[in-house]
Amino acid sequence: MRADTAGGGAAGDGPMYVAAKKIYPQAVQGRFRRIKWGVLAVTLGIYYFLPFVRWDRGANAPNQALLIDMEGRRAYFFSIEIWPQEVYYLTGLLILASLMLFLINAVAGRIWCGYLCPQTVWTDLFMLIERWIEGDRRERMKLDQQPMSAHKLAKKGIKHVLWLAIAMWTGGAWILYFGDAPTMVVNLFTGQASLLTYVFVAILTFTTYSLAGMMREQVCIYMCPWPRIQAALTDEWALNVTYKTDRGEPRGSLKEMQKRAQQGLPAGDCIDCYQCLHACPTGVDIRDGLQLDCIQCGLCIDACDTVMQKIGRPTGLIGYDTDMNLARRAEGKPPIYKLIRARTVLYAAIIVFVGSFMLYTLTSRSFADINVLHDRNPVFVKLSDGGVRNGYTVRFLNKRPIERTFLLRVEGLPDTARVEAVGNAEAVGSNPLITVGPDRTREVRVLVFTPGGEALPASTDVTFQIVDLKDGERATASDKFMTE
Ligand code: SF4
Ligand code: SF4
């Protein structure tokens, strides 16, 4: 934990808690900064514009590529439609995402935090706006030290207005995933959206503004559990942003190091310029070693590489490396990298297994289904001719965007048994025909009769089977036929 942000020590040493120091990250240019801009553009582009992507599913289904239709109780992702009964696919996706995070962590530490985490992406965007309005590190520090003036007020005001606009756009974009996006945009701006919609936009505006604009690195350092979990999951072979002490130490100013070199004394490549620290969005001095506060964004690498280029030394004094190599370098041994090891192979194997299983179940799933609920009271009815009647509530599910007709059979009873769908006249022989609308469910009360004289046990296993007359798709459900 950073000494300048949290108190500690023995009683009487000072206050238990101190206010966090404001961090003024300096703009840097380089390879990792470019990667981060690229990731920011792609991820935010997807987030803000995906709701407007259309996908033709036919006349009876919505045409939004990604849609969570709460009212219709469906989720749509391009050609995939998920019903409430299939919510386990979302669970599977979450498991897959967690496993991917574990694998990424085993290979390259907290790369998720540094490049892909929404907190990082939006904070980067908010910092870009801040830098654009208030200037780079020095200008911002100077502005904050100045007393309030019209000039300062204008700069701060413009910054906060732009932050709020982005935060509102962020909150608004989230809502668009839950309804037809173009219609919702019109409704939002003309005051026709529901109160709940405005409440959600307001909540998400507030969280984006406060987390990315005001709290920034404190979310990563104090609020997020991942650094602690990650620390327990990592090993000495994982790549992390590392200061190469064997090359950097002993450190000192450029002049001092040149003087030491001339005298034949050991002189490291680090010229103690603090550019790595100034570039860091979480205020970490990477030269102190790997720390929980470091989100592995690589910006200190870019900052140091720029310095190294200026002073004519090889780049890479700070770079992605492993704890193992840090120890090896200290012993004068060459670095080695071990990407394929038990933990990465295990994670990759589980990901392939879970992913393949999900893909298989998704591609082979049925588009018709049936649920049966036996009457509880009475469980059976004795008829005047000695026969027995059982009643069921049968729910037919048609997951295709077209109307379908299903033939209902009840198997497991003698041929003399008769099936009747209440209020439904259509049948083939004694098997009712049930028509279900496109992408709909239909509940039908079904009565099953056995005539007098049939000697049946107290409970007989029966199978309700539905068959689509056109495509032959089937679905079954098991229940009992009771006589006592
Ligand atoms: S930027 Fe490089 S040279 Fe400057 S202090 Fe950091 S590690 Fe040393
Ligand atoms: S120490 Fe370097 S990698 Fe870590 S958060 Fe700071 S700038 Fe990013």
Side-chain angles (χ1 to χ4, degrees):
M1 181 125 343
R2 291 181 307 154
D4 60 346
T5 55
D13 281 351
M16 281 279 281
Y17 301 100
V18 290
K21 267 190 191 170
K22 187 169 175 184
I23 293 166
Y24 296 88
Q26 187 164 294
V28 287
Q29 280 169 2
R31 203 167 17 142
F32 295 102
R33 182 63 271 181
R34 283 196 295 279
I35 294 173
K36 276 171 71 67
W37 286 139
V39 172
L40 182 143
V42 171
T43 50
L44 290 187
I46 291 173
Y47 175 74
Y48 288 125
F49 298 110
L50 185 56
F52 297 97
V53 175
R54 303 289 101 183
W55 189 262
D56 186 12
R57 298 186 183 91
N60 299 308
N63 69 345
Q64 189 158 311
L66 177 53
L67 176 69
I68 298 160
D69 180 2
M70 301 294 268
E71 217 176 311
R73 301 172 73 201
R74 302 279 188 285
Y76 300 91
F77 182 71
F78 293 89
S79 60
I80 301 171
E81 181 182 345
I82 304 291
W83 282 52
Q85 298 86 342
E86 297 168 330
V87 77
Y88 49 81
Y89 285 119
L90 300 181
T91 314
L93 267 184
L94 288 177
I95 293 171
L96 216 48
S98 308
L99 290 166
M100 295 284 281
L101 203 54
F102 291 173
L103 178 63
I104 291 172
N105 176 55
V107 174
R110 288 175 64 187
I111 212 160
W112 159 263
C113 305
Y115 295 82
L116 285 157
C117 174
Q119 174 63 21
T120 296
V121 172
W122 264 283
T123 300
D124 252 2
L125 180 63
F126 274 53
M127 279 186 189
L128 180 71
I129 302 286
E130 186 175 67
R131 211 169 274 137
W132 182 44
I133 308 287
E134 295 182 2
D136 206 353
R137 177 182 155 83
R138 278 176 193 280
E139 285 103 332
R140 294 204 307 277
M141 290 171 84
K142 218 166 124 191
L143 187 72
D144 278 1
Q145 282 158 9
Q146 284 169 12
M148 189 50 78
S149 63
H151 170 76
K152 182 173 176 175
L153 192 66
K155 284 202 165 191
K156 295 277 175 194
I158 293 170
K159 178 182 81 174
H160 285 282
V161 166
L162 288 175
W163 278 2
L164 271 170
I166 293 172
M168 277 177 78
W169 188 18
T170 305
W174 178 254
I175 299 301
L176 303 184
Y177 286 92
F178 294 85
D180 180 60
T183 313
M184 287 193 86
V185 170
V186 174
N187 288 350
L188 273 169
F189 281 100
T190 54
Q192 294 176 68
S194 68
L195 179 64
L196 194 65
T197 306
Y198 288 110
V199 168
F200 269 104
V201 173
I203 291 171
L204 291 165
T205 301
F206 172 74
T207 49
T208 309
Y209 174 78
S210 52
L211 295 179
M214 315 302 285
M215 298 167 76
R216 297 181 174 184
E217 78 288 345
Q218 296 189 38
V219 176
C220 311
I221 298 170
Y222 301 116
M223 292 167 67
C224 179
W226 180 237
R228 281 86 194 162
I229 300 169
Q230 185 270 345
L233 286 171
T234 196
D235 65 9
E236 69 277 22
W237 294 105
L239 287 168
N240 287 302
V241 174
T242 308
Y243 167 68
K244 292 162 190 164
T245 39
D246 62 305
R247 198 188 129 185
E249 302 296 322
R251 70 178 85 147
S253 70
L254 182 58
K255 267 190 186 165
E256 202 182 318
M257 288 300 102
Q258 284 168 341
K259 210 167 137 194
R260 284 178 70 91
Q262 279 163 8
Q263 291 168 352
L265 293 169
D269 277 350
C270 176
I271 56 165
D272 221 6
C273 63
Y274 290 100
Q275 290 305 301
C276 49
L277 174 60
H278 293 163
C280 180
T282 61
V284 163
D285 189 339
I286 195 65
R287 296 172 302 168
D288 295 342
L290 190 60
Q291 294 150 67
L292 278 187
D293 299 7
C294 172
I295 58 168
Q296 305 283 319
C297 65
L299 294 182
C300 54
I301 302 178
D302 283 343
C304 188
D305 280 354
T306 307
V307 174
M308 291 296 115
Q309 281 161 356
K310 274 187 192 155
I311 63 171
R313 303 255 169 85
T315 56
L317 174 56
I318 303 175
Y320 280 96
D321 210 344
T322 65
D323 280 2
M324 180 58 78
N325 283 337
L326 204 59
R328 287 179 66 84
R329 282 203 179 90
E331 293 165 11
K333 293 179 185 165
I336 48 170
Y337 298 92
K338 220 170 157 185
L339 189 65
I340 299 171
R341 50 194 201 275
R343 119 179 11 219
T344 53
V345 170
L346 181 69
Y347 289 147
I350 301 174
I351 288 169
V352 170
F353 174 76
V354 175
S356 311
F357 180 72
M358 280 181 63
L359 198 65
Y360 170 75
T361 53
L362 201 61
T363 49
S364 61
R365 69 184 173 154
S366 168
F367 287 90
D369 209 348
I370 179 175
N371 297 314
V372 179
L373 189 67
H374 198 294
D375 282 0
R376 285 180 185 272
N377 192 16
V379 175
F380 64 93
V381 176
K382 282 264 185 210
L383 302 173
S384 54
D385 66 353
V388 178
R389 187 186 80 199
N390 276 209
Y392 307 84
T393 303
V394 181
R395 183 183 284 265
F396 296 78
L397 286 86
N398 171 18
K399 298 181 187 175
R400 291 202 188 275
I402 46 164
E403 187 178 90
R404 297 167 86 187
T405 300
F406 296 106
L407 179 83
L408 173 66
R409 284 197 202 110
V410 179
E411 293 167 348
L413 291 171
D415 292 344
T416 49
R418 186 167 59 83
V419 183
E420 183 186 315
V422 176
N424 194 81
E426 284 185 281
V428 174
S430 82
N431 300 310
L433 286 173
I434 308 293
T435 300
V436 187
D439 201 29
R440 287 280 173 275
T441 61
R442 184 174 167 193
E443 211 168 81
V444 178
R445 180 152 169 75
V446 172
L447 303 174
V448 180
F449 301 84
T450 53
E454 285 287 358
L456 285 173
S459 167
T460 305
D461 289 332
V462 289
T463 303
F464 285 73
Q465 185 191 63
I466 55 169
V467 186
D468 183 324
L469 289 182
K470 275 198 187 135
D471 63 20
E473 189 173 19
R474 287 155 199 264
T476 56
S478 301
D479 212 293
K480 304 268 183 204
F481 185 84
M482 311 295 290
T483 55
E484 286 176 22

